[in-house]
Every structure is written in C-alpha cells, then in structure tokens.
Amino acid sequence: MKNNFNLIAPVYDGLAKVVFGKKLKQIQTHFLPVIPENANVLIMGGGTGWIINELFNTGFKGKLTYVEASEKMISLSKKNGSFNDSVHFIHGEESALPTERKYDVIITNFFLDVFSEARLDEVMVQLSERLNNDGIWICSDFQNTGRFSHQLLLWLMFKFFRVTAKLESRSLMNFEHKFKKIGHSKSENFTLMNGLIFSSVYTSEQSL
C-alpha cells in the first residue's frame, strides 16, 4: 500500500521535532485563528491528531471531519485529543468522504506532498469540489527554495519516507501552480526556515 504511515506513526511527531523543532507545528497552527467559529472543517491527512486540540483552543465551535489513511494515526488521534462528538473520524482517503457534504474550510498540512503529479491533480480537483464557493483552503507544506541545504534535506526526507511509508511522490511539486490550475488564488502566506516551509490560505476565484 502506497503512502502508508502505520510503521512510523508512533515516532512521527518525535522525528519531526528532532529535525524541525517547533517550526512544523508553528507553521500548521499559524492560520487556525482565521477559521470561522462555526465552520464545517475538513482536515485531510491529520496525522497523530495534535492539531485537533489546537483548533478547538482557538475557540472553534464548529464541526470537524478528520480523514487519515493510517489506522494507527487515527488511533493516536483519538487517544491524544480532548474533544466531543463534533469530530468525525474517517479512516480512508478523499474517496471516503460523504458525497453530499461540502466544507467551509479544508486543511491539508504536509498532505499534498505524498502524491505523484498525476494523482495530486486528481486529489486536488476532488477536494476543490468539496469546498464551498466562499470557503478557504489552508495548505502547509515544503517548497523549493534553491538552497543546497534545503535540497539535501528534502532529498533525505523523500528517501526516508519512500522506504518507511512507500511514499508515492518522487519529488516536490509547485503547489501554488497546482492551486491556480484548479481556480484557487493565494490570499495570505506565511513562511519559516528561510522559505522551506510555508502555510498559505487559498480562496476560489469564483468567490472573488
């Protein structure tokens, strides 16, 4: 199975902290305060679930759908989180989403980088169809900066995850180009580590 993070789920957050310190969490939580209080939120590839508490700590009172392909990540999320029945867990991929439901906010944190280019295009189209016209899409991920140290780190990470998680992706995509391709424009942007990691807010051009 491609993109299977079961093997490293128990140590995933620890590894991230060793390599990046608090930077990955800082980048992923930066735009949580812009999420409307009563929004219907979708998080794709939520990992170990620490972000659930961070979201509710902002005063969020809406509904959250949490989709994760790794059953071990789902299990950790349920153990780590303190939340109520407003959180709906789905073990699966975007195809497992209820077909009739749309969302005010979609969050993809270090999720889009696991796919091959053809699969990425397919996933982004499917997700964009689930976003309300006036909704926002928050994406946090890595980006190419041209710096040798960044290129080396990215190469090592892709190699590591290809071995441990059978990562489908072979290289980092230009996510901004991919968002433009599906009709979404960047409205806000935040970067850390000299631009290596970013978080951006995208809106549909239909809402402009």
Side-chain angles (χ1 to χ4, degrees):
M1 177 182 173
K2 295 286 188 181
N3 305 323
N4 187 338
F5 287 79
N6 279 335
L7 179 65
I8 59 172
V11 297
Y12 185 85
D13 287 344
L15 286 172
K17 189 172 183 179
V18 167
V19 178
F20 297 101
K22 297 180 179 180
K23 295 293 194 300
L24 290 191
K25 286 195 173 183
Q26 187 179 348
I27 206 82
Q28 293 176 75
T29 56
H30 184 78
F31 286 117
L32 292 184
V34 310
I35 295 175
E37 180 179 286
N38 294 308
N40 191 7
V41 178
L42 168 65
I43 295 181
M44 294 297 303
T48 60
W50 62 267
I51 199 170
I52 297 175
N53 291 337
E54 296 289 339
L55 175 59
F56 281 96
N57 285 342
T58 67
F60 176 72
K61 297 180 178 65
K63 296 288 187 181
L64 172 61
T65 300
Y66 201 78
V67 181
E68 173 56 59
S70 164
E71 63 266 27
K72 289 191 177 179
M73 290 288 198
I74 287 278
S75 178
L76 286 169
S77 298
K78 291 179 177 179
K79 288 179 182 178
N80 294 337
S82 55
F83 39 78
N84 52 36
D85 58 5
S86 62
V87 181
H88 176 47
F89 289 97
I90 295 178
H91 173 217
E93 300 177 333
E94 69 284 345
S95 59
L97 289 169
T99 55
E100 72 284 354
R101 184 170 298 173
K102 288 206 169 188
Y103 302 90
D104 305 306
V105 181
I106 292 177
I107 299 175
T108 52
N109 288 335
F110 300 94
F111 169 75
L112 299 181
D113 58 20
V114 306
F115 300 106
S116 66
E117 186 162 13
R119 180 86 173 98
L120 176 62
D121 289 340
E122 179 182 312
V123 168
M124 291 186 71
V125 166
Q126 290 184 30
L127 290 180
S128 69
E129 291 173 348
R130 300 304 182 90
L131 185 64
N132 286 323
N133 286 342
D134 59 350
I136 62 172
W137 185 331
I138 301 173
C139 175
S140 303
D141 221 304
F142 299 100
Q143 62 186 353
N144 288 311
T145 65
R147 289 172 176 256
F148 175 75
S149 59
H150 290 171
Q151 291 175 327
L152 178 60
L153 178 58
L154 289 169
W155 180 82
L156 289 170
M157 286 193 303
F158 273 95
K159 189 173 182 65
F160 173 77
F161 287 116
R162 280 201 299 270
V163 172
T164 59
K166 297 183 179 178
L167 196 71
E168 182 182 316
S169 176
R170 295 289 171 175
S171 60
L172 197 60
M173 308 292 170
N174 183 329
F175 298 116
E176 185 169 353
H177 172 73
K178 295 297 184 183
F179 275 102
K180 286 180 180 178
K181 190 175 178 180
I182 60 170
H184 286 68
S185 298
K186 183 165 61 179
S187 59
E188 297 185 72
N189 189 58
F190 176 66
T191 65
L192 289 172
M193 299 184 69
N194 294 313
L196 176 62
I197 53 177
F198 74 91
S199 187
S200 296
V201 178
Y202 290 90
T203 55
S204 171
E205 292 174 356
Q206 295 179 19
S207 66
L208 299 179

